[in-house]
Amino acid sequence: QAKPNQDSYLIMHDIIKDNTFHIFGVMDGHGDTGKDISEETAKFFNEYYEQQSKENVYDLYSKQSYELMDTSFTKAKANIRSKAINSDYSGTTVNILYVINSKILCANLGDSRAVAFCTNKRILPLSTDHKPDLPSERERIELCGGEVGRVNWASFGPYRVWFKGQNYPGLAMSRSLGDNLAQTIGVISTPEVKEFDIVQEDIRYVVLASDGIWEFLTNEKVRDIIEPYYQANDAKGGARRIVSEARKVWEVRNKMAIDDITVIILFFGK
């Protein structure tokens, strides 16, 4: 049975018309209203960032605590509630890249992933997948009265977040937007923000994608697939190839379902 694609994305290119500021994002919804939440979130961020002051844009986005990112995520959460979308058991990941001059700022919630590929085949993760079994994430969840374990405490499958001694909500990530019930037991909607210098790190290209890509394709495999497309300056071709390769592996490894797949590829120095 076909299910709706719950992924959404955000592409805001050359926001202040001098080729110094761009925003790219991927949102991967989950639960019954995941599609509505990811779409509404993408729309909200688009409108929110359009309205921001265009003065000193790097200062605005990187003031010590990355205040504008934190504020935008808090407002995105409030926006979901104001739309009366039921987000008790549904939510979305958010991974947003802000490319400002020679800087990349990555603000991430959940397990959509951004990876930079540098000279000499070096791989530079821009975000951390927020899985419940990460020690710091698990500690926060347990301190808030939640429990982390696999379904029926099996020896395989993803770790999930549960109410202690219960079989819900079973969320397979430790940060998200929405998921109201899970947020009472330590799941948070505060983004983890990291900053990188494109020139210093010698970044050649970046892949930002929902976990439909990363479930079965390693960072190394993605690099090897993209490399010839980078040489040919064909980002669109590279994106199509990544989706097709991911889909092939899903068809072999999981015949019951193929996860939603969204990928954005950025080439630098081309």
Side-chain angles (χ1 to χ4, degrees):
Q1 182 185 349
K3 69 177 186 66
N5 183 346
Q6 294 188 303
D7 283 5
S8 297
Y9 63 90
L10 177 68
I11 294 178
M12 301 179 71
H13 188 258
D14 199 9
I15 294 169
I16 52 179
K17 306 300 178 228
D18 62 359
N19 208 34
T20 62
F21 181 35
H22 322 274
I23 297 178
F24 306 93
V26 166
M27 294 101 204
D28 180 0
H30 52 263
D32 290 347
T33 61
K35 177 180 167 65
D36 297 334
I37 292 172
S38 76
E39 285 179 354
E40 183 57 45
T41 299
K43 178 169 169 278
F44 172 81
F45 279 125
N46 194 85
E47 291 171 358
Y48 180 80
Y49 293 130
E50 277 286 353
Q51 290 163 8
Q52 296 311 307
S53 163
K54 304 301 188 279
E55 303 300 313
N56 304 317
V57 79
Y58 177 69
D59 292 340
L60 258 179
Y61 278 78
S62 62
K63 281 189 302 195
Q64 279 100 37
S65 62
Y66 302 110
E67 194 179 320
L68 192 60
M69 278 89 146
D70 286 347
T71 302
S72 67
F73 278 67
T74 301
K75 287 180 180 293
K77 181 179 175 180
N79 179 61
I80 294 302
R81 298 196 173 189
S82 75
K83 300 291 179 187
I85 300 170
N86 186 334
S87 52
D88 284 350
Y89 289 98
S90 301
T92 187
T93 70
V94 182
N95 194 325
I96 298 181
L97 299 180
Y98 309 78
V99 182
I100 306 169
N101 297 310
S102 66
K103 305 284 188 188
I104 295 178
L105 284 70
C106 176
N108 179 50
L109 285 181
D111 57 7
S112 292
R113 185 188 302 172
V115 185
F117 300 88
C118 310
T119 50
N120 302 321
K121 294 193 164 185
R122 188 168 68 92
I123 294 170
L124 176 66
L126 303 182
S127 63
T128 301
D129 297 348
H130 292 133
K131 301 293 192 184
D133 56 319
L134 276 178
S136 57
E137 301 289 295
R138 180 197 285 262
E139 183 183 13
R140 186 187 64 246
I141 289 160
E142 290 176 347
L143 282 171
C144 291
E147 201 165 31
V148 172
R150 295 178 165 121
V151 172
N152 297 325
W153 307 98
S155 58
F156 57 90
Y159 283 87
R160 297 174 182 273
V161 179
W162 313 93
F163 278 91
K164 200 165 277 186
Q166 304 296 322
N167 64 352
Y168 67 95
L171 185 65
M173 64 195 73
S174 56
R175 300 191 191 198
S176 70
L177 208 64
D179 294 301
N180 302 339
L181 284 170
Q183 297 233 349
T184 67
I185 47 170
V187 171
I188 59 173
S189 54
T190 307
E192 183 176 20
V193 182
K194 298 180 182 180
E195 182 171 337
F196 304 87
D197 189 293
I198 296 164
V199 177
Q200 283 178 11
E201 299 287 358
D202 235 337
I203 293 172
R204 297 161 75 234
Y205 48 95
V206 168
V207 177
L208 170 62
S210 58
D211 72 332
I213 293 289
W214 310 110
E215 182 76 23
F216 297 125
L217 296 183
T218 62
N219 292 347
E220 290 76 12
K221 178 71 174 169
V222 166
R223 176 195 62 203
D224 295 344
I225 292 169
I226 296 289
E227 185 61 33
Y229 292 94
Y230 178 76
Q231 299 298 343
N233 197 23
D234 180 12
K236 190 175 279 188
R240 286 181 174 145
R241 178 72 189 283
I242 286 285
V243 169
S244 127
E245 290 294 321
R247 188 181 174 91
K248 270 189 226 165
V249 189
W250 272 98
E251 285 170 348
V252 171
R253 301 281 288 275
N254 187 344
K255 293 183 170 61
M256 299 297 291
I258 296 173
D259 198 3
D260 301 328
I261 296 172
T262 298
V263 60
I264 295 172
I265 297 178
L266 312 176
F267 284 175
F268 297 95
K270 276 289 178 186

